[in-house]
Structure formats: C-alpha cells, structure tokens
Amino acid sequence: MKNHKNFVDQLIVFLRVISLFLAGVFIYKIANPGYNAINKIRIEIVNIKDRKINYKLISNITISLLIVCVILVYLDYGNELFVRKKYIPKDSSVLKMIYSNLLIFISVLSGALMKKVKIISWISILTVIFIGICLGSRIASICLIIFGITYSLFLSKRSERILFYSLFIPFITLFFGYNISLRSQSFGHGLIPYMNMTISKPHVIFEYTVRNVYYTFIFGFYVTSETIKLYKDASLENLMTCMSPLPGRMVNWYQISKHLRINIYAPFSAIGELSKFPVFSFFYYIFLGFYFSLVDRFIKKEIMNKRYIFSILQVLMLLLFIMFSYEYNLRSTHRFIWYSIFILILSRYLYKLKKIKFVFKEIKE
C-alpha cells in the first residue's frame, strides 16, 4: 500500500507539471498571436549547403577549451582521477562547475567538427568521455548524447539521419548502462579500478549493463518518488539557494547539497524538490511553459534568418534542462534556464558587433 501511495503521489506531481506547463504555453499563444503563424512555417534546423563554416576557428577553440578542461579536472582531482576510495572525494568546487560546462560545450563543438575535421573531433569527444568515466559520472553519457545530436544536425540527407539514429540510440542506451555499472560494481573509484573491472569481469559489467538499460527508463520516476518521500527539511532558504544564479560558495549550497541526495550516487530530482513548494512550483511551471514558447519563437526566427549558432545552443540548453529535471538537483537543473536567458541577452547584441564570425555569409555564385 505504501509503494502504491508513492506511485499515486508521483503520478499526481507529473500530471500537475504537465498541466501547468501547457497553461504557460497557452498564455504565451494568447499574448502573441503571431506565434501561431510562425509555427505553421516548415523550417530546417541547419542547412549547411549554402553556408561556409569556419572550421579552422572552431577547431582552434575546441583544442584550446579541451586543454583548459583537462588542466582544470586535474587541478580539482589530482591523482585521485585515476585511483580513489570514495566516489566523491570532496565537496564540489568552482572548478567543477566550470569544467562540467566546458565538457558539454566541447561536445557540441566536436559534433559540429565531425563532418569535416574528424581527427580533432574524435580526439575531443573521446577525451570528454574519458574524463567522464574517470569521474564515474553520468556526464560521459550526457556529453555523448549532445555530441550525437549536434552531429546529426550537420547530416544533409534524411536517410543519413535515420541510419545514424538507428545505430546511435541503441549504442548510447548500452553505454549509459555501462557508465553507471562501473561506479557501483568496482572496489574503488577512478580510471584504474573502472578499467580493471571492465577487463577482469566483463560478464559482471554486461549483466549490470543490461539491468541498467531497464533502469535508465525508470530512473527518473524512481528518483522523483524517493525525493518526494525523503525531502523532509524543505525550506524557503533551500529553495532560494537552488534558484540563485550565484556561485555555490556565495550561497550556502555546499552546506545543504549533501542533504539533498538519496544516496552518494543519486541526488534529489528537480521535479521532486519543487513538489515540496506547491505555491512556488505553480507559478514556476507556468513560467516555464511561457518561456519555452518564447525560446521556441526565438529559435525559429533565428533559423529563418540563417543564424544557427544561438538557435542550436538554445535547443541544447532546453534539452539539458528537461534531462536534468528527472535526475539532478533543482540547482543543477535550473542553471540551464539561466544559461538560456544569458544566450537570449547575448544574441541581442553580439550579432550587431560581428567581430567573431563562426559562419560566413552565403557565397553567391
């Protein structure tokens, strides 16, 4: 009966989220009649046939960011990157926030380069995955997903995209299972224990990988249910900390983050946390529906004007927000809304400057 009640409570939470989000979309449509007209226009996310992309500049940026990322990860973990006793050896640092975002951005750039600059693309994405595995984090799987989505945008034929996703989706599903299996089955953490486990006991890894394929699809529901059950000390102070755009050390995030977890491997989910603040979440999800519609209009107008960089970044930010909502803390999840808002503000002024050109103007024959 207890499990049945948890399931019902969780189902009500999800239904409430969907209903409020759709209400926000409806409000935006009423306030912006032109939005319906834009929705009727068929557009392609990326059309590179008539564009000359500055691959050399993107390659240089990718290599530079990759070097910076590797240095920051080593400064944060040191030799514990290779062998450590604890999964999380210390509290999160400012460096972790920086290199976690860099890993995501490098994955985007690697996907964009794969079509023309394969060597740098492969080196970059493999290094990102290597770092993710060393950390034992789901970030390895998330970055691989982002890489795949970005790469698919640069495939010119529909048949190529269908073939790519028919191979990529099963692979990423198995990889995610493998990624999670390492940290829970190894007697220690870091690259060496994880690789030792993979080589010495491949049958165990395979068994848990298969289990985790199923686990992948129900994990978000499980975490939300457990968050609703375990989050007893929900306070306004915690909520303000999670919603704040300020670095964690400027608020009390590092004091409360250890309590916002189901266990050492699984943090509370954003949806579960917000369910503890019914009044705030009522307005928050209506705002999200309104904001997603606003960004959707921005993306479509950018693509229609053949400006792709910010539109692709916005798509990725909103996708990451949705993915993180089921598996990560509210603070980790909501930061993608802050990033999205920053992109909106930046795009308003950066195109006027035109000092850095990632994509040249159309070449006229």
mmCIF file of all heavy atoms in Angstrom, residues 138-179:
data_model
loop_
_atom_site.group_PDB
_atom_site.id
_atom_site.type_symbol
_atom_site.label_atom_id
_atom_site.label_comp_id
_atom_site.label_asym_id
_atom_site.label_seq_id
_atom_site.Cartn_x
_atom_site.Cartn_y
_atom_site.Cartn_z
ATOM 1 N N ARG A 138 27.550 10.466 -14.813
ATOM 2 C CA ARG A 138 26.683 10.335 -15.984
ATOM 3 C C ARG A 138 27.015 11.384 -17.042
ATOM 4 O O ARG A 138 26.464 11.340 -18.141
ATOM 5 C CB ARG A 138 25.218 10.478 -15.566
ATOM 6 C CG ARG A 138 24.655 9.281 -14.863
ATOM 7 C CD ARG A 138 23.166 9.437 -14.611
ATOM 8 N NE ARG A 138 22.871 10.443 -13.623
ATOM 9 C CZ ARG A 138 22.793 10.218 -12.318
ATOM 10 N NH1 ARG A 138 23.010 9.015 -11.839
ATOM 11 N NH2 ARG A 138 22.506 11.193 -11.472
ATOM 12 N N ILE A 139 27.901 12.328 -16.722
ATOM 13 C CA ILE A 139 28.245 13.380 -17.670
ATOM 14 C C ILE A 139 28.849 12.782 -18.945
ATOM 15 O O ILE A 139 28.720 13.349 -20.029
ATOM 16 C CB ILE A 139 29.234 14.395 -17.038
ATOM 17 C CG1 ILE A 139 29.357 15.652 -17.903
ATOM 18 C CG2 ILE A 139 30.600 13.770 -16.807
ATOM 19 C CD1 ILE A 139 28.134 16.506 -17.912
ATOM 20 N N ALA A 140 29.501 11.599 -18.824
ATOM 21 C CA ALA A 140 30.059 10.948 -20.012
ATOM 22 C C ALA A 140 28.953 10.594 -20.996
ATOM 23 O O ALA A 140 29.071 10.823 -22.202
ATOM 24 C CB ALA A 140 30.824 9.686 -19.602
ATOM 25 N N SER A 141 27.844 10.066 -20.482
ATOM 26 C CA SER A 141 26.713 9.700 -21.335
ATOM 27 C C SER A 141 26.008 10.939 -21.874
ATOM 28 O O SER A 141 25.619 10.991 -23.046
ATOM 29 C CB SER A 141 25.721 8.836 -20.555
ATOM 30 O OG SER A 141 26.320 7.641 -20.121
ATOM 31 N N ILE A 142 25.847 11.939 -21.013
ATOM 32 C CA ILE A 142 25.166 13.169 -21.426
ATOM 33 C C ILE A 142 25.939 13.863 -22.542
ATOM 34 O O ILE A 142 25.360 14.307 -23.540
ATOM 35 C CB ILE A 142 24.981 14.105 -20.216
ATOM 36 C CG1 ILE A 142 23.963 13.494 -19.249
ATOM 37 C CG2 ILE A 142 24.527 15.496 -20.658
ATOM 38 C CD1 ILE A 142 23.853 14.222 -17.932
ATOM 39 N N CYS A 143 27.256 13.946 -22.390
ATOM 40 C CA CYS A 143 28.081 14.586 -23.429
ATOM 41 C C CYS A 143 28.041 13.809 -24.736
ATOM 42 O O CYS A 143 28.037 14.403 -25.820
ATOM 43 C CB CYS A 143 29.527 14.712 -22.934
ATOM 44 S SG CYS A 143 29.747 15.983 -21.675
ATOM 45 N N LEU A 144 27.992 12.486 -24.641
ATOM 46 C CA LEU A 144 27.919 11.673 -25.846
ATOM 47 C C LEU A 144 26.587 11.894 -26.563
ATOM 48 O O LEU A 144 26.535 11.950 -27.803
ATOM 49 C CB LEU A 144 28.089 10.198 -25.487
ATOM 50 C CG LEU A 144 28.285 9.223 -26.656
ATOM 51 C CD1 LEU A 144 29.475 9.643 -27.517
ATOM 52 C CD2 LEU A 144 28.489 7.808 -26.128
ATOM 53 N N ILE A 145 25.508 12.040 -25.797
ATOM 54 C CA ILE A 145 24.200 12.331 -26.388
ATOM 55 C C ILE A 145 24.227 13.678 -27.109
ATOM 56 O O ILE A 145 23.746 13.820 -28.239
ATOM 57 C CB ILE A 145 23.108 12.324 -25.307
ATOM 58 C CG1 ILE A 145 22.893 10.902 -24.777
ATOM 59 C CG2 ILE A 145 21.787 12.878 -25.857
ATOM 60 C CD1 ILE A 145 21.984 10.835 -23.572
ATOM 61 N N ILE A 146 24.809 14.687 -26.448
ATOM 62 C CA ILE A 146 24.890 16.029 -27.032
ATOM 63 C C ILE A 146 25.733 16.009 -28.308
ATOM 64 O O ILE A 146 25.391 16.634 -29.316
ATOM 65 C CB ILE A 146 25.478 17.018 -26.009
ATOM 66 C CG1 ILE A 146 24.500 17.201 -24.853
ATOM 67 C CG2 ILE A 146 25.794 18.365 -26.655
ATOM 68 C CD1 ILE A 146 25.068 17.965 -23.688
ATOM 69 N N PHE A 147 26.833 15.276 -28.256
ATOM 70 C CA PHE A 147 27.679 15.112 -29.446
ATOM 71 C C PHE A 147 26.883 14.514 -30.598
ATOM 72 O O PHE A 147 26.943 15.003 -31.735
ATOM 73 C CB PHE A 147 28.871 14.214 -29.102
ATOM 74 C CG PHE A 147 29.631 13.722 -30.295
ATOM 75 C CD1 PHE A 147 30.572 14.523 -30.917
ATOM 76 C CD2 PHE A 147 29.407 12.441 -30.790
ATOM 77 C CE1 PHE A 147 31.275 14.070 -32.027
ATOM 78 C CE2 PHE A 147 30.104 11.979 -31.905
ATOM 79 C CZ PHE A 147 31.037 12.796 -32.512
ATOM 80 N N GLY A 148 26.125 13.457 -30.310
ATOM 81 C CA GLY A 148 25.352 12.792 -31.351
ATOM 82 C C GLY A 148 24.280 13.688 -31.950
ATOM 83 O O GLY A 148 24.090 13.719 -33.175
ATOM 84 N N ILE A 149 23.576 14.428 -31.089
ATOM 85 C CA ILE A 149 22.522 15.330 -31.567
ATOM 86 C C ILE A 149 23.117 16.417 -32.459
ATOM 87 O O ILE A 149 22.587 16.721 -33.536
ATOM 88 C CB ILE A 149 21.770 15.959 -30.383
ATOM 89 C CG1 ILE A 149 20.965 14.887 -29.635
ATOM 90 C CG2 ILE A 149 20.834 17.075 -30.856
ATOM 91 C CD1 ILE A 149 20.323 15.381 -28.357
ATOM 92 N N THR A 150 24.241 17.000 -32.017
ATOM 93 C CA THR A 150 24.881 18.061 -32.800
ATOM 94 C C THR A 150 25.359 17.541 -34.148
ATOM 95 O O THR A 150 25.152 18.173 -35.189
ATOM 96 C CB THR A 150 26.069 18.663 -32.028
ATOM 97 O OG1 THR A 150 25.648 19.066 -30.729
ATOM 98 C CG2 THR A 150 26.643 19.865 -32.762
ATOM 99 N N TYR A 151 25.993 16.381 -34.122
ATOM 100 C CA TYR A 151 26.482 15.788 -35.377
ATOM 101 C C TYR A 151 25.337 15.536 -36.356
ATOM 102 O O TYR A 151 25.463 15.795 -37.565
ATOM 103 C CB TYR A 151 27.217 14.484 -35.072
ATOM 104 C CG TYR A 151 27.561 13.676 -36.312
ATOM 105 C CD1 TYR A 151 28.486 14.144 -37.237
ATOM 106 C CD2 TYR A 151 26.948 12.441 -36.542
ATOM 107 C CE1 TYR A 151 28.791 13.417 -38.374
ATOM 108 C CE2 TYR A 151 27.250 11.705 -37.676
ATOM 109 C CZ TYR A 151 28.178 12.186 -38.587
ATOM 110 O OH TYR A 151 28.475 11.464 -39.707
ATOM 111 N N SER A 152 24.209 15.062 -35.842
ATOM 112 C CA SER A 152 23.074 14.748 -36.713
ATOM 113 C C SER A 152 22.526 15.987 -37.415
ATOM 114 O O SER A 152 21.965 15.892 -38.510
ATOM 115 C CB SER A 152 21.955 14.072 -35.914
ATOM 116 O OG SER A 152 21.331 14.985 -35.029
ATOM 117 N N LEU A 153 22.692 17.151 -36.789
ATOM 118 C CA LEU A 153 22.208 18.386 -37.402
ATOM 119 C C LEU A 153 22.972 18.730 -38.677
ATOM 120 O O LEU A 153 22.461 19.450 -39.539
ATOM 121 C CB LEU A 153 22.327 19.554 -36.414
ATOM 122 C CG LEU A 153 21.500 19.449 -35.126
ATOM 123 C CD1 LEU A 153 21.797 20.625 -34.217
ATOM 124 C CD2 LEU A 153 20.015 19.384 -35.443
ATOM 125 N N PHE A 154 24.183 18.197 -38.794
ATOM 126 C CA PHE A 154 25.019 18.501 -39.952
ATOM 127 C C PHE A 154 24.953 17.418 -41.024
ATOM 128 O O PHE A 154 25.692 17.470 -42.000
ATOM 129 C CB PHE A 154 26.471 18.711 -39.501
ATOM 130 C CG PHE A 154 26.679 19.997 -38.748
ATOM 131 C CD1 PHE A 154 26.385 20.079 -37.395
ATOM 132 C CD2 PHE A 154 27.140 21.129 -39.391
ATOM 133 C CE1 PHE A 154 26.551 21.265 -36.695
ATOM 134 C CE2 PHE A 154 27.312 22.320 -38.707
ATOM 135 C CZ PHE A 154 27.016 22.395 -37.357
ATOM 136 N N LEU A 155 24.063 16.441 -40.824
ATOM 137 C CA LEU A 155 23.835 15.435 -41.863
ATOM 138 C C LEU A 155 22.818 15.989 -42.845
ATOM 139 O O LEU A 155 21.704 16.350 -42.464
ATOM 140 C CB LEU A 155 23.330 14.137 -41.237
ATOM 141 C CG LEU A 155 24.315 13.424 -40.293
ATOM 142 C CD1 LEU A 155 23.656 12.210 -39.655
ATOM 143 C CD2 LEU A 155 25.574 13.014 -41.039
ATOM 144 N N SER A 156 23.191 16.055 -44.109
ATOM 145 C CA SER A 156 22.361 16.751 -45.102
ATOM 146 C C SER A 156 21.161 15.930 -45.565
ATOM 147 O O SER A 156 20.122 16.486 -45.914
ATOM 148 C CB SER A 156 23.214 17.143 -46.308
ATOM 149 O OG SER A 156 23.851 15.998 -46.863
ATOM 150 N N LYS A 157 21.279 14.600 -45.560
ATOM 151 C CA LYS A 157 20.200 13.758 -46.070
ATOM 152 C C LYS A 157 19.393 13.141 -44.928
ATOM 153 O O LYS A 157 19.945 12.769 -43.898
ATOM 154 C CB LYS A 157 20.773 12.646 -46.949
ATOM 155 C CG LYS A 157 21.482 13.150 -48.200
ATOM 156 C CD LYS A 157 22.020 11.995 -49.013
ATOM 157 C CE LYS A 157 22.744 12.491 -50.265
ATOM 158 N NZ LYS A 157 23.306 11.364 -51.053
ATOM 159 N N ARG A 158 18.087 13.047 -45.149
ATOM 160 C CA ARG A 158 17.200 12.444 -44.154
ATOM 161 C C ARG A 158 17.562 10.977 -43.913
ATOM 162 O O ARG A 158 17.513 10.490 -42.782
ATOM 163 C CB ARG A 158 15.752 12.558 -44.623
ATOM 164 C CG ARG A 158 14.726 12.094 -43.602
ATOM 165 C CD ARG A 158 13.322 12.471 -44.048
ATOM 166 N NE ARG A 158 12.332 12.021 -43.079
ATOM 167 C CZ ARG A 158 11.720 10.846 -43.134
ATOM 168 N NH1 ARG A 158 11.981 10.019 -44.134
ATOM 169 N NH2 ARG A 158 10.835 10.497 -42.224
ATOM 170 N N SER A 159 17.935 10.267 -44.975
ATOM 171 C CA SER A 159 18.310 8.848 -44.846
ATOM 172 C C SER A 159 19.544 8.676 -43.971
ATOM 173 O O SER A 159 19.648 7.708 -43.204
ATOM 174 C CB SER A 159 18.566 8.245 -46.229
ATOM 175 O OG SER A 159 19.601 8.945 -46.903
ATOM 176 N N GLU A 160 20.484 9.645 -44.039
ATOM 177 C CA GLU A 160 21.678 9.594 -43.201
ATOM 178 C C GLU A 160 21.316 9.765 -41.728
ATOM 179 O O GLU A 160 21.872 9.083 -40.860
ATOM 180 C CB GLU A 160 22.666 10.685 -43.624
ATOM 181 C CG GLU A 160 23.318 10.448 -44.976
ATOM 182 C CD GLU A 160 24.265 11.576 -45.344
ATOM 183 O OE1 GLU A 160 24.079 12.703 -44.835
ATOM 184 O OE2 GLU A 160 25.188 11.344 -46.143
ATOM 185 N N ARG A 161 20.386 10.682 -41.448
ATOM 186 C CA ARG A 161 19.971 10.909 -40.060
ATOM 187 C C ARG A 161 19.241 9.695 -39.488
ATOM 188 O O ARG A 161 19.454 9.323 -38.333
ATOM 189 C CB ARG A 161 19.089 12.154 -39.973
ATOM 190 C CG ARG A 161 19.846 13.455 -40.203
ATOM 191 C CD ARG A 161 19.027 14.657 -39.784
ATOM 192 N NE ARG A 161 17.899 14.882 -40.686
ATOM 193 C CZ ARG A 161 17.956 15.649 -41.765
ATOM 194 N NH1 ARG A 161 19.090 16.263 -42.083
ATOM 195 N NH2 ARG A 161 16.883 15.823 -42.530
ATOM 196 N N ILE A 162 18.399 9.070 -40.317
ATOM 197 C CA ILE A 162 17.669 7.880 -39.855
ATOM 198 C C ILE A 162 18.640 6.743 -39.549
ATOM 199 O O ILE A 162 18.536 6.067 -38.514
ATOM 200 C CB ILE A 162 16.645 7.433 -40.919
ATOM 201 C CG1 ILE A 162 15.528 8.474 -41.046
ATOM 202 C CG2 ILE A 162 16.048 6.064 -40.556
ATOM 203 C CD1 ILE A 162 14.552 8.195 -42.172
ATOM 204 N N LEU A 163 19.603 6.519 -40.440
ATOM 205 C CA LEU A 163 20.608 5.468 -40.230
ATOM 206 C C LEU A 163 21.438 5.759 -38.986
ATOM 207 O O LEU A 163 21.703 4.856 -38.174
ATOM 208 C CB LEU A 163 21.519 5.355 -41.458
ATOM 209 C CG LEU A 163 22.675 4.341 -41.341
ATOM 210 C CD1 LEU A 163 22.123 2.929 -41.141
ATOM 211 C CD2 LEU A 163 23.562 4.393 -42.579
ATOM 212 N N PHE A 164 21.838 7.036 -38.828
ATOM 213 C CA PHE A 164 22.661 7.407 -37.674
ATOM 214 C C PHE A 164 21.927 7.134 -36.359
ATOM 215 O O PHE A 164 22.480 6.497 -35.458
ATOM 216 C CB PHE A 164 23.048 8.889 -37.763
ATOM 217 C CG PHE A 164 23.702 9.408 -36.514
ATOM 218 C CD1 PHE A 164 25.006 9.065 -36.208
ATOM 219 C CD2 PHE A 164 23.006 10.229 -35.629
ATOM 220 C CE1 PHE A 164 25.615 9.525 -35.039
ATOM 221 C CE2 PHE A 164 23.598 10.700 -34.476
ATOM 222 C CZ PHE A 164 24.905 10.342 -34.178
ATOM 223 N N TYR A 165 20.689 7.584 -36.260
ATOM 224 C CA TYR A 165 19.946 7.408 -35.008
ATOM 225 C C TYR A 165 19.576 5.950 -34.757
ATOM 226 O O TYR A 165 19.466 5.529 -33.598
ATOM 227 C CB TYR A 165 18.694 8.283 -35.006
ATOM 228 C CG TYR A 165 18.976 9.700 -34.581
ATOM 229 C CD1 TYR A 165 18.836 10.762 -35.471
ATOM 230 C CD2 TYR A 165 19.399 9.986 -33.283
ATOM 231 C CE1 TYR A 165 19.114 12.061 -35.086
ATOM 232 C CE2 TYR A 165 19.672 11.281 -32.893
ATOM 233 C CZ TYR A 165 19.530 12.320 -33.794
ATOM 234 O OH TYR A 165 19.807 13.609 -33.397
ATOM 235 N N SER A 166 19.384 5.174 -35.814
ATOM 236 C CA SER A 166 19.076 3.755 -35.629
ATOM 237 C C SER A 166 20.256 3.004 -35.011
ATOM 238 O O SER A 166 20.070 1.970 -34.352
ATOM 239 C CB SER A 166 18.690 3.114 -36.964
ATOM 240 O OG SER A 166 19.793 3.115 -37.862
ATOM 241 N N LEU A 167 21.469 3.506 -35.220
ATOM 242 C CA LEU A 167 22.664 2.919 -34.607
ATOM 243 C C LEU A 167 23.034 3.600 -33.299
ATOM 244 O O LEU A 167 23.460 2.953 -32.334
ATOM 245 C CB LEU A 167 23.847 3.020 -35.584
ATOM 246 C CG LEU A 167 23.695 2.267 -36.915
ATOM 247 C CD1 LEU A 167 24.874 2.582 -37.822
ATOM 248 C CD2 LEU A 167 23.577 0.768 -36.680
ATOM 249 N N PHE A 168 22.849 4.920 -33.260
ATOM 250 C CA PHE A 168 23.303 5.699 -32.111
ATOM 251 C C PHE A 168 22.444 5.461 -30.867
ATOM 252 O O PHE A 168 22.973 5.339 -29.755
ATOM 253 C CB PHE A 168 23.300 7.191 -32.469
ATOM 254 C CG PHE A 168 23.782 8.088 -31.370
ATOM 255 C CD1 PHE A 168 25.126 8.100 -31.017
ATOM 256 C CD2 PHE A 168 22.907 8.922 -30.685
ATOM 257 C CE1 PHE A 168 25.589 8.934 -30.007
ATOM 258 C CE2 PHE A 168 23.358 9.745 -29.673
ATOM 259 C CZ PHE A 168 24.707 9.752 -29.332
ATOM 260 N N ILE A 169 21.133 5.395 -31.028
ATOM 261 C CA ILE A 169 20.240 5.247 -29.868
ATOM 262 C C ILE A 169 20.493 3.940 -29.108
ATOM 263 O O ILE A 169 20.645 3.957 -27.875
ATOM 264 C CB ILE A 169 18.767 5.377 -30.301
ATOM 265 C CG1 ILE A 169 18.488 6.818 -30.735
ATOM 266 C CG2 ILE A 169 17.820 4.984 -29.155
ATOM 267 C CD1 ILE A 169 17.097 7.044 -31.301
ATOM 268 N N PRO A 170 20.573 2.773 -29.795
ATOM 269 C CA PRO A 170 20.908 1.546 -29.049
ATOM 270 C C PRO A 170 22.282 1.613 -28.387
ATOM 271 O O PRO A 170 22.454 1.140 -27.256
ATOM 272 C CB PRO A 170 20.873 0.456 -30.129
ATOM 273 C CG PRO A 170 20.010 1.002 -31.201
ATOM 274 C CD PRO A 170 20.272 2.480 -31.207
ATOM 275 N N PHE A 171 23.251 2.218 -29.104
ATOM 276 C CA PHE A 171 24.598 2.309 -28.540
ATOM 277 C C PHE A 171 24.625 3.163 -27.276
ATOM 278 O O PHE A 171 25.205 2.757 -26.257
ATOM 279 C CB PHE A 171 25.564 2.889 -29.575
ATOM 280 C CG PHE A 171 26.931 3.182 -29.008
ATOM 281 C CD1 PHE A 171 27.821 2.162 -28.760
ATOM 282 C CD2 PHE A 171 27.303 4.491 -28.700
ATOM 283 C CE1 PHE A 171 29.081 2.432 -28.208
ATOM 284 C CE2 PHE A 171 28.550 4.772 -28.163
ATOM 285 C CZ PHE A 171 29.441 3.727 -27.916
ATOM 286 N N ILE A 172 23.996 4.344 -27.312
ATOM 287 C CA ILE A 172 24.031 5.234 -26.150
ATOM 288 C C ILE A 172 23.266 4.635 -24.982
ATOM 289 O O ILE A 172 23.615 4.849 -23.812
ATOM 290 C CB ILE A 172 23.495 6.639 -26.508
ATOM 291 C CG1 ILE A 172 23.835 7.644 -25.395
ATOM 292 C CG2 ILE A 172 21.989 6.623 -26.735
ATOM 293 C CD1 ILE A 172 25.307 7.859 -25.172
ATOM 294 N N THR A 173 22.238 3.851 -25.266
ATOM 295 C CA THR A 173 21.488 3.188 -24.201
ATOM 296 C C THR A 173 22.361 2.180 -23.484
ATOM 297 O O THR A 173 22.391 2.123 -22.244
ATOM 298 C CB THR A 173 20.233 2.482 -24.779
ATOM 299 O OG1 THR A 173 19.434 3.442 -25.471
ATOM 300 C CG2 THR A 173 19.409 1.854 -23.670
ATOM 301 N N LEU A 174 23.111 1.378 -24.248
ATOM 302 C CA LEU A 174 24.024 0.406 -23.651
ATOM 303 C C LEU A 174 25.181 1.101 -22.938
ATOM 304 O O LEU A 174 25.612 0.673 -21.865
ATOM 305 C CB LEU A 174 24.561 -0.543 -24.731
ATOM 306 C CG LEU A 174 23.547 -1.525 -25.322
ATOM 307 C CD1 LEU A 174 24.153 -2.266 -26.512
ATOM 308 C CD2 LEU A 174 23.090 -2.519 -24.253
ATOM 309 N N PHE A 175 25.681 2.179 -23.558
ATOM 310 C CA PHE A 175 26.799 2.894 -22.943
ATOM 311 C C PHE A 175 26.396 3.486 -21.600
ATOM 312 O O PHE A 175 27.179 3.468 -20.649
ATOM 313 C CB PHE A 175 27.301 4.002 -23.871
ATOM 314 C CG PHE A 175 28.454 4.784 -23.289
ATOM 315 C CD1 PHE A 175 29.741 4.286 -23.340
ATOM 316 C CD2 PHE A 175 28.244 6.009 -22.662
ATOM 317 C CE1 PHE A 175 30.808 4.990 -22.790
ATOM 318 C CE2 PHE A 175 29.294 6.720 -22.104
ATOM 319 C CZ PHE A 175 30.583 6.207 -22.175
ATOM 320 N N PHE A 176 25.174 4.023 -21.519
ATOM 321 C CA PHE A 176 24.713 4.585 -20.257
ATOM 322 C C PHE A 176 24.671 3.502 -19.178
ATOM 323 O O PHE A 176 25.068 3.733 -18.036
ATOM 324 C CB PHE A 176 23.329 5.215 -20.412
ATOM 325 C CG PHE A 176 22.809 5.846 -19.157
ATOM 326 C CD1 PHE A 176 23.220 7.118 -18.779
ATOM 327 C CD2 PHE A 176 21.932 5.166 -18.329
ATOM 328 C CE1 PHE A 176 22.759 7.699 -17.604
ATOM 329 C CE2 PHE A 176 21.459 5.739 -17.166
ATOM 330 C CZ PHE A 176 21.865 7.011 -16.800
ATOM 331 N N GLY A 177 24.178 2.318 -19.547
ATOM 332 C CA GLY A 177 24.159 1.212 -18.593
ATOM 333 C C GLY A 177 25.558 0.849 -18.129
ATOM 334 O O GLY A 177 25.801 0.609 -16.937
ATOM 335 N N TYR A 178 26.493 0.806 -19.068
ATOM 336 C CA TYR A 178 27.897 0.523 -18.736
ATOM 337 C C TYR A 178 28.476 1.608 -17.842
ATOM 338 O O TYR A 178 29.150 1.328 -16.850
ATOM 339 C CB TYR A 178 28.701 0.415 -20.028
ATOM 340 C CG TYR A 178 30.201 0.456 -19.838
ATOM 341 C CD1 TYR A 178 30.880 -0.651 -19.356
ATOM 342 C CD2 TYR A 178 30.929 1.604 -20.141
ATOM 343 C CE1 TYR A 178 32.258 -0.617 -19.167
ATOM 344 C CE2 TYR A 178 32.294 1.643 -19.973
ATOM 345 C CZ TYR A 178 32.955 0.535 -19.478
ATOM 346 O OH TYR A 178 34.310 0.581 -19.290
ATOM 347 N N ASN A 179 28.198 2.860 -18.177
ATOM 348 C CA ASN A 179 28.690 4.022 -17.431
ATOM 349 C C ASN A 179 28.292 3.951 -15.956
ATOM 350 O O ASN A 179 29.101 4.154 -15.047
ATOM 351 C CB ASN A 179 28.131 5.278 -18.088
ATOM 352 C CG ASN A 179 28.789 6.557 -17.602
ATOM 353 O OD1 ASN A 179 28.356 7.644 -17.953
ATOM 354 N ND2 ASN A 179 29.815 6.465 -16.787
#
